[in-house]
Amino acid sequence: FMDQESSGDDGEPSVLVGQVLLRLQDAVVMAMSRTRQRVIQGFIVFSFVFLLLWISAFLYGSFYYSYIPKAAFSTPVHYYYRADCESPASFLCSYPVANISLMRNKKHVLTFGQAYRMTLQLEMPDSPVNQELGMFMVKTACFSRDGGHVASSARSARQLLSASSSRFSMLRYRSDLLRHLGTLLFLPAFLSGVTEQKQVLEVELFSDYTDDPYAPSATAFIEILSNKVQIYSSQLNIYAHFTGIRYLMFNFPVLSALVGVSSNFIFLSLLFVLSYVRLLLGMEWGPEQLRADGLLSDRENNMNNNQHEDEKDAAAG
């Protein structure tokens, strides 16, 4: 009997230790399961937020590149003229003219509805001929893409003429004394070829030019109304004049991007949350519960009334 009591006393601590170990194991398993569940939930939330941010940024980037046109366009201008005249008084028999294409990769450079500022940059030598030339006119005209095919018709040619302008320009006046002093001062630079005796003129052709969407400009025609002008090189510059939302998006890109991406993110988040809540409500409110709450009673009553009326008509017939 004493041996049985001693063996029972020895078994009770082992049972207690086993229970404690089982409880500890269950607690560890539960903690690991909760931790794993939290990690999975955090990963799902992070992936969802990252996906919404990426979609928001993609939508804003697509809107930016489709709504904001090219801010500046520059192209060299190459003039041509006739030189087969018989008179020795002038080497040029016609005025220098140039045709500039306003299309790149078969697309129009100018965006419809956008205001542009066009300027012509002339690099001219500071020669006695240009100094004696004085004022000269620069004539510009923009034509649509089909202007060459209907040039024989005066009425059609006037219709295809998108815009035209005439501007004058001249070299900056410098006295003989100032010119000699400048030559002596910059003589080493002139001899070494670092700089040249020239002037750069910028002639504004259009201050607020808007392209016509029905007859978009495809070619710019530039004519300098002087057969004695001397030009090193020429450049046509087109600058977009942004206003309103385009001005804010172009001049404040970081702030605009933050506002645009945040707005898209909030809208997409609300849309997803409302869709998710609607899905949960649709799963919880099944047909049986809807019938028990009387939400489907009206529909069932209407169906029963229709069945009774059909039976009465069949019996009468």
Side-chain angles (χ1 to χ4, degrees), residues 142-151 155-163 215-216:
C142 297
F143 292 90
S144 62
R145 191 172 185 178
D146 297 333
H149 297 287
V150 291
R155 183 177 179 182
S156 298
R158 283 198 298 268
Q159 291 177 348
L160 289 171
L161 181 62
S162 300

Side-chain angles (χ1 to χ4, degrees), residues 46-307:
F46 175 78
S47 301
F48 173 72
V49 172
F50 179 77
L51 179 62
L52 288 182
L53 285 175
W54 188 86
I55 295 176
S56 302
F58 176 77
L59 291 176
Y60 177 79
S62 301
F63 174 74
Y64 183 88
Y65 284 104
S66 62
Y67 184 69
I68 301 297
K70 193 174 181 180
F73 172 76
S74 180
T75 181
V77 179
H78 303 287
Y79 298 95
Y80 62 91
Y81 51 86
R82 291 178 54 245
D84 55 351
C85 54
E86 299 178 357
S87 175
S90 176
F91 177 75
L92 305 182
C93 299
S94 63
Y95 295 144
V97 296
N99 288 320
I100 301 97
S101 176
L102 299 179
M103 300 186 66
R104 289 294 181 271
N105 299 324
K106 298 182 179 180
K107 295 182 180 179
H108 293 276
V109 173
L110 306 181
T111 302
F112 307 143
Q114 174 63 45
Y116 290 93
R117 177 175 176 266
M118 293 187 185
T119 62
L120 181 66
Q121 182 177 337
L122 297 173
E123 185 178 354
M124 304 174 62
D126 196 3
S127 61
V129 175
N130 285 336
Q131 291 292 340
E132 295 175 358
L133 180 63
M135 297 174 58
F136 58 92
M137 299 291 294
V138 179
K139 185 178 179 180
T140 308
C142 297
F143 292 90
S144 62
R145 191 172 185 178
D146 297 333
H149 297 287
V150 291
S152 58
S153 174
R155 183 177 179 182
S156 298
R158 283 198 298 268
Q159 291 177 348
L160 289 171
L161 181 62
S162 300
S164 63
S165 68
S166 298
R167 298 290 188 271
F168 70 89
S169 181
M170 65 177 298
L171 293 180
R172 297 292 179 181
Y173 173 75
R174 297 173 62 189
S175 63
D176 295 336
L177 179 60
L178 183 60
R179 191 179 298 107
H180 295 327
L181 292 177
T183 303
L184 293 176
L185 181 62
F186 294 99
L187 183 61
F190 292 149
L191 294 176
S192 61
V194 176
T195 184
E196 297 177 347
Q197 290 181 308
K198 64 181 181 180
Q199 292 189 27
V200 179
L201 302 181
E202 187 172 5
V203 184
E204 186 181 64
L205 305 178
F206 295 98
S207 59
D208 191 9
Y209 177 73
T210 304
D211 202 8
D212 187 2
Y214 299 101
S217 300
T219 304
F221 177 80
I222 298 177
E223 183 179 11
I224 299 179
L225 304 182
S226 176
N227 55 3
K228 296 182 180 180
V229 64
Q230 297 177 347
I231 301 173
Y232 279 146
S233 62
S234 181
Q235 194 90 5
L236 177 65
N237 300 319
I238 303 176
Y239 305 99
H241 180 64
F242 295 128
T243 57
I245 299 178
R246 285 177 174 173
Y247 176 82
L248 296 176
M249 293 178 65
F250 182 78
N251 292 279
F252 304 97
V254 178
L255 181 61
S256 301
L258 291 176
V259 173
V261 173
S262 301
S263 302
N264 293 335
F265 179 78
I266 293 173
F267 176 75
L268 293 175
S269 300
L270 289 176
L271 185 63
F272 178 80
V273 169
L274 292 177
S275 302
Y276 184 71
V277 170
R278 183 180 179 183
L279 180 63
L280 290 180
L281 292 177
M283 294 176 62
E284 292 178 357
W285 290 78
E288 297 179 357
Q289 191 171 0
L290 293 174
R291 187 178 294 107
D293 292 340
L295 296 178
L296 297 179
S297 59
D298 296 336
R299 184 177 178 183
E300 290 181 351
N301 291 331
N302 294 330
M303 294 178 64
N304 292 329
N305 293 330
N306 294 331
Q307 290 179 359

